[in-house]
Amino acid sequence: MRVTLPDGTELELDDGATGADAAAAIGAGLARAALAVKVDGVLRDLSAPLPDGARLEIVTARSPEALWLIRHDAAHVMAEAVLELYPGVKISIGPPIEDGFYYDFEFPDGVTLSEADFPAIERRMAEHVKAAEPFEREDVPVAEALERFRAEDQPYKVELIEDLVRDQGVETVSLYRNGPFTDLCRGPHAPTTKTVKAFKLQSVAGAYWRGDADRTMLTRVYGTAFLSKEDLEAHLERLEEAKARDHRKLGRELGLFEFSEVSPGMAFWLPRGTTLFNQLVALMRELNEDRGYTEVKTPQVYDSRLWKTSGHWDKYRENMFVTEAEDRQMALKPMNCPGHCHLYAMHPHSYRELPVRYAEPGLLHRYEPSGTLHGLLRVRHFVQDDAHIFCRDDQILDEVVGCIELAFATYAIFGFDVKLELSTRPEQRVGDDELWDRAEGVLRDALDSRELGYVVNEGDGAFYGPKIDFHLTDSIGRSWQLGTVQMDFNFPERFELEYQGADNQGHRPAMIHRAILGSFERFIGLLIEHYAGEFPVWLAPVQAVLLPISDRHAEAATVMRDALAAKGVRVECDDRSESIGRRIREAELRKLPYMLVVGDREVEDGTVAVRRHGSGDEGSVPLDAFAARVADETAARSA
RNA sequence: GCCGGGAUAGCUCAGCUGGUAGAGCAACCGCCUUGUAAGCGGUAGGCCAGGGGUUCGAGUCCCCUUCCCGGCUCCA
């Protein structure tokens, strides 16, 4: 038999040869370094027989797949150690993930695991790694595997096998054994456990079996593994550095916002944070205005009647703050759409005026589960840069595409690299399937017309329509939704929205919900982490600070401050009797873009000595020139 | 909401197996009058998250509540 190597050369092998044989045929060094093979692009064990005519690639520590492989190995080694240290543990699944691996366990009653238990588990793992236990694959009939895991009292494995039989009709399953530990596993694995030299357990967490909140809560142990101790150390260091960018820490240090027990999940914005917030509101107003949106303002609290019309009372009430006044049931708005629909319906509309685009930086309240709150990234009180477009059928595609383009144009200002998701009809929904077919089709067409890549999240849409979401990851790799474009034929029906057509008849408009930043709160949280608190000039709450060298320069500096402020520069004057070194240090720590030192020379010449954050003294410039520079940078929203 | 872990001065954190709370920074008051990342001295500051219990005695042990952290489910 023969196989083809990545460089195109062909290799002649005995029939039944394995990946290991192939590696050995190429060279002894490669044979030693080989961890697995890729056969026609699929990762396989080194010990698996190769099919004739395969495209073959030897996977070594240098291959991109190597980390995935050894993290999977590490998960098995961890399960092995946990099973030994905690007899009676039930094992479920343990896959490699981005940056590491985890394994989900069910511990016996009364046993809880905490990070304090990690050293003992890690020690046991290290012993198994040192022993270089081979990973041995065995393909066994389903009946035998079931019998085995039933005998071992491993109900999760039994369930997994039963589901494989039911859903995929499998007749055999593969088991992997390392040392005394055997796991149901698709594989592949490295030849032995010895490649798992550099690993670390990181955290324990709860996780529902099969991600189902109605099922058992398992104990998930997260860890990571690398091919070398150096790589592991570097990774742990990166995590430490990421913590320094955490928006919750920077938000407090930079005096942007606070949280308090008296209002969980709702931010208190300090003056500087509010300035930042308002810059973004101004940006969105400008962008919206350029694209034909008109701003509206709608109420906070509505009679439950409105929420019954929209469907929120049925499908969304769990997430709403409900209250009572004058014997009426009222609720704070969790979304702006019903208010906007109601507003649209209050006046007749002609086909000539469509599309109607109502924008509103709308304050929303959502009663989010307590365990999900997370700094500014998940709150109960937030402002959405929301808009609703009411349009004719023939305008839908252009409008959806326009929203997508606005989103990309906006993210480009910040250098955000977003990922797209298309979410389709959920189980909890209003409207018939025909409307959903249409709505999902429009969104797909819009994405395809711009040749945009996206992943599909089946069943993840809003209860009134499918949506395109824009996602961004935070400093430690968690993904958060920013903007959204949602197609909706349901609300126009429920609110009986109409416009008068050229035929003088009433017609139903289509509706598009869209937010670009998503919420200002979440966006600012991500912005803080993105810039590590070093905001560009246009966003910086304080753009410059004047630093008079000594008390005798304070008056001149104060006059300069007022002059700059009059030209729109957000400026402070730090004339405390502290050393200039101290005041520069503090301004640097506050990450202020500009420090303006004023001494004898500057007072004399009407100049300031400009120091840019992070890059030192840039020399003196006339005060007016500095003001012009800041004005330019602010207007351009650059730098 | 669920699982696990936390909560000590404004901030970051000490406080061994129970014996009536400590540091650095910040703050405040002086002095210094300063040329590009910490000048010097002094003062004040805590119902140890809240509530119950065990104990002669609780920041320390137990229970409950609240909030926070890491995940899961859910979501902008």
Side-chain angles (χ1 to χ4, degrees), chain A residues 20-33:
Chain A
D21 296 332
I26 298 167
L30 187 61
R32 276 194 302 277

Side-chain angles (χ1 to χ4, degrees), chain A residues 254-365:
Chain A
L254 301 179
L256 301 177
F257 58 85
E258 297 283 356
F259 282 92
S260 162
E261 277 193 29
V262 299
S263 188
M266 313 206 192
F268 287 72
W269 289 91
L270 287 156
R272 290 186 200 116
T274 304
T275 300
L276 176 55
F277 198 113
N278 288 340
Q279 293 308 313
L280 289 174
V281 173
L283 170 70
M284 293 322 294
R285 281 211 167 103
E286 198 178 302
L287 293 175
N288 285 337
E289 203 171 309
D290 289 348
R291 286 164 178 76
Y293 288 82
T294 48
E295 190 167 324
V296 297
K297 290 168 80 68
T298 55
Q300 279 309 306
V301 183
Y302 298 83
D303 193 293
S304 57
R305 257 175 36 220
L306 180 92
W307 304 117
K308 283 170 186 158
T309 302
S310 68
H312 282 81
W313 205 247
D314 268 354
K315 313 283 185 192
Y316 204 78
R317 200 171 161 190
E318 304 272 283
N319 288 297
M320 291 164 70
F321 285 96
V322 176
T323 181
E324 206 186 85
E326 295 176 322
D327 290 327
R328 302 165 81 184
Q329 280 203 291
M330 315 283 283
L332 273 72
K333 66 177 174 187
M335 296 185 193
N336 296 301
C337 30
H340 287 185
C341 286
H342 194 74
L343 181 59
Y344 177 94
M346 286 164 147
H347 296 273
H349 296 274
S350 154
Y351 74 97
R352 294 170 190 277
E353 67 174 291
L354 298 183
V356 166
R357 305 186 188 91
Y358 288 155
E360 176 174 4
L363 174 60
L364 306 180
H365 289 83

Side-chain angles (χ1 to χ4, degrees), chain A residues 238-250:
Chain A
R238 274 197 301 280
L239 286 181
E240 280 306 307
E241 280 162 19
K243 272 193 203 161
R245 309 170 80 100
D246 189 308
H247 76 280
R248 293 165 296 188
K249 176 178 151 75
L250 285 170

Side-chain angles (χ1 to χ4, degrees), chain A residues 15-333:
Chain A
D15 283 357
T18 65
D21 296 332
I26 298 167
L30 187 61
R32 276 194 302 277
L35 297 175
V37 287
K38 272 177 98 173
V39 179
D40 295 323
V42 181
L43 208 55
R44 297 268 187 229
D45 290 330
L46 215 48
S47 59
L50 299 171
D52 190 20
R55 277 187 301 113
L56 181 71
E57 198 180 324
I58 310 290
V59 173
T60 68
R62 291 203 181 140
S63 312
E65 295 83 5
L67 280 177
W68 185 92
L69 203 67
I70 67 151
R71 285 168 181 168
H72 193 187
D73 295 348
H76 279 238
V77 174
M78 178 168 79
E80 179 181 18
V82 168
L83 216 45
E84 285 172 351
L85 293 168
Y86 300 88
V89 161
K90 298 187 181 18
I91 56 174
S92 64
I93 55 165
I97 51 171
E98 178 93 25
D99 286 342
F101 63 90
Y102 68 80
Y103 211 110
D104 286 349
F105 304 99
E106 186 187 353
F107 283 85
D109 280 349
V111 179
T112 56
L113 194 76
S114 79
E115 291 181 20
D117 301 312
F118 285 178
I121 300 172
E122 287 172 336
R123 253 178 274 126
R124 184 61 71 103
M125 288 173 69
E127 287 168 21
H128 288 295
V129 170
K130 202 174 170 200
E133 294 164 347
F135 281 100
E136 287 168 0
R137 178 185 173 118
E138 192 186 354
D139 287 275
V140 302
V142 161
E144 187 185 326
L146 282 173
E147 193 181 334
R148 178 186 185 117
F149 285 115
R150 283 202 185 104
E152 291 178 6
D153 192 21
Q154 290 295 352
Y156 298 107
K157 293 296 174 187
V158 169
E159 183 178 329
L160 287 168
I161 295 170
E162 285 171 343
D163 286 0
L164 281 172
V165 171
R166 194 192 59 217
D167 300 338
Q168 296 174 34
V170 300
E171 291 171 1
T172 63
V173 294
S174 55
L175 305 180
Y176 276 80
R177 187 175 75 79
N178 53 300
F181 176 69
T182 301
D183 201 357
L184 171 74
C185 178
R186 190 183 303 130
H189 282 278
T192 78
T193 56
K194 77 170 181 204
T195 352
V196 190
K197 319 188 260 276
F199 65 87
K200 185 168 174 53
L201 301 189
Q202 294 177 292
S203 60
V204 258
Y208 297 109
W209 168 233
R210 306 217 126 170
D212 184 343
D214 292 328
R215 304 199 63 178
T216 319
M217 174 68 71
L218 303 172
T219 302
R220 175 170 297 178
V221 180
Y222 283 96
T224 191
F226 284 85
L227 289 148
S228 71
K229 293 253 192 294
E230 293 71 36
D231 288 354
L232 174 63
E233 288 305 319
H235 179 252
L236 296 176
E237 218 164 284
R238 274 197 301 280
L239 286 181
E240 280 306 307
E241 280 162 19
K243 272 193 203 161
R245 309 170 80 100
D246 189 308
H247 76 280
R248 293 165 296 188
K249 176 178 151 75
L250 285 170
R252 190 174 45 236
E253 287 174 1
L254 301 179
L256 301 177
F257 58 85
E258 297 283 356
F259 282 92
S260 162
E261 277 193 29
V262 299
S263 188
M266 313 206 192
F268 287 72
W269 289 91
L270 287 156
R272 290 186 200 116
T274 304
T275 300
L276 176 55
F277 198 113
N278 288 340
Q279 293 308 313
L280 289 174
V281 173
L283 170 70
M284 293 322 294
R285 281 211 167 103
E286 198 178 302
L287 293 175
N288 285 337
E289 203 171 309
D290 289 348
R291 286 164 178 76
Y293 288 82
T294 48
E295 190 167 324
V296 297
K297 290 168 80 68
T298 55
Q300 279 309 306
V301 183
Y302 298 83
D303 193 293
S304 57
R305 257 175 36 220
L306 180 92
W307 304 117
K308 283 170 186 158
T309 302
S310 68
H312 282 81
W313 205 247
D314 268 354
K315 313 283 185 192
Y316 204 78
R317 200 171 161 190
E318 304 272 283
N319 288 297
M320 291 164 70
F321 285 96
V322 176
T323 181
E324 206 186 85
E326 295 176 322
D327 290 327
R328 302 165 81 184
Q329 280 203 291
M330 315 283 283
L332 273 72
K333 66 177 174 187

Side-chain angles (χ1 to χ4, degrees), chain A residues 323-507:
Chain A
T323 181
E324 206 186 85
E326 295 176 322
D327 290 327
R328 302 165 81 184
Q329 280 203 291
M330 315 283 283
L332 273 72
K333 66 177 174 187
M335 296 185 193
N336 296 301
C337 30
H340 287 185
C341 286
H342 194 74
L343 181 59
Y344 177 94
M346 286 164 147
H347 296 273
H349 296 274
S350 154
Y351 74 97
R352 294 170 190 277
E353 67 174 291
L354 298 183
V356 166
R357 305 186 188 91
Y358 288 155
E360 176 174 4
L363 174 60
L364 306 180
H365 289 83
R366 294 187 186 174
Y367 184 58
E368 301 287 355
S370 58
T372 66
L373 302 177
H374 183 94
L376 289 179
L377 300 183
R378 184 77 183 271
V379 287
R380 285 179 171 164
H381 160 125
F382 58 97
V383 180
Q384 228 178 25
D385 66 317
D386 208 1
H388 294 93
I389 300 170
F390 302 92
C391 65
R392 293 182 256 122
D393 280 4
D394 61 293
Q395 297 170 322
I396 293 173
L397 191 61
D398 280 350
E399 290 301 316
V400 171
V401 169
C403 291
I404 294 171
E405 286 181 343
L406 172 56
F408 278 106
T410 306
Y411 302 146
I413 293 171
F414 305 95
F416 276 172
D417 187 20
V418 297
K419 294 201 171 62
L420 297 190
E421 295 185 5
L422 173 67
S423 297
T424 58
R425 69 196 78 185
E427 301 224 346
Q428 283 276 309
R429 63 176 183 265
V430 295
D432 57 47
D433 285 349
E434 224 169 289
L435 290 182
W436 281 88
D437 289 341
R438 243 181 100 203
E440 288 169 7
V442 168
L443 295 185
R444 277 181 213 276
D445 289 348
L447 289 166
D448 293 341
S449 75
R450 311 317 279 188
E451 296 183 343
L452 295 165
Y454 58 92
V455 294
V456 177
N457 286 334
E458 297 291 351
D460 236 11
F463 72 81
Y464 47 77
K467 54 185 188 151
I468 295 168
D469 292 329
F470 301 85
H471 288 255
L472 186 75
T473 52
D474 69 9
S475 63
I476 59 171
R478 289 176 290 213
S479 179
W480 297 91
Q481 183 182 320
L482 258 42
T484 182
V485 180
Q486 311 179 345
M487 193 61 240
D488 180 5
F489 297 108
N490 281 308
F491 280 1
E493 288 288 336
R494 300 176 74 96
F495 284 90
E496 296 176 356
L497 303 185
E498 285 198 350
Y499 66 88
Q500 193 172 353
D503 57 4
N504 202 30
Q505 302 292 307
H507 296 271

Side-chain angles (χ1 to χ4, degrees), chain A residues 539-612:
Chain A
L539 276 175
V542 177
Q543 297 170 312
V545 60
L546 281 153
L547 301 172
I549 294 276
S550 75
D551 287 355
R552 70 176 181 279
H553 309 111
E555 203 183 316
T558 306
V559 171
M560 287 176 167
R561 179 198 62 196
D562 294 345
L564 287 173
K567 293 194 173 185
V569 179
R570 298 190 291 272
V571 61
E572 291 180 356
C573 180
D574 181 0
D575 56 6
R576 291 173 302 156
S577 301
E578 296 287 353
S579 71
I580 190 70
R582 151 77 71 122
R583 283 175 290 150
I584 283 172
R585 175 181 158 78
E586 289 182 9
E588 287 284 0
L589 290 174
R590 288 173 63 194
K591 304 174 195 293
L592 303 184
Y594 292 111
M595 286 144 277
L596 309 174
V597 176
V598 177
D600 290 335
R601 295 194 294 274
E602 289 75 20
V603 171
E604 177 84 6
D605 304 344
T607 61
V608 287
V610 177
R611 178 187 167 107
R612 177 87 220 217

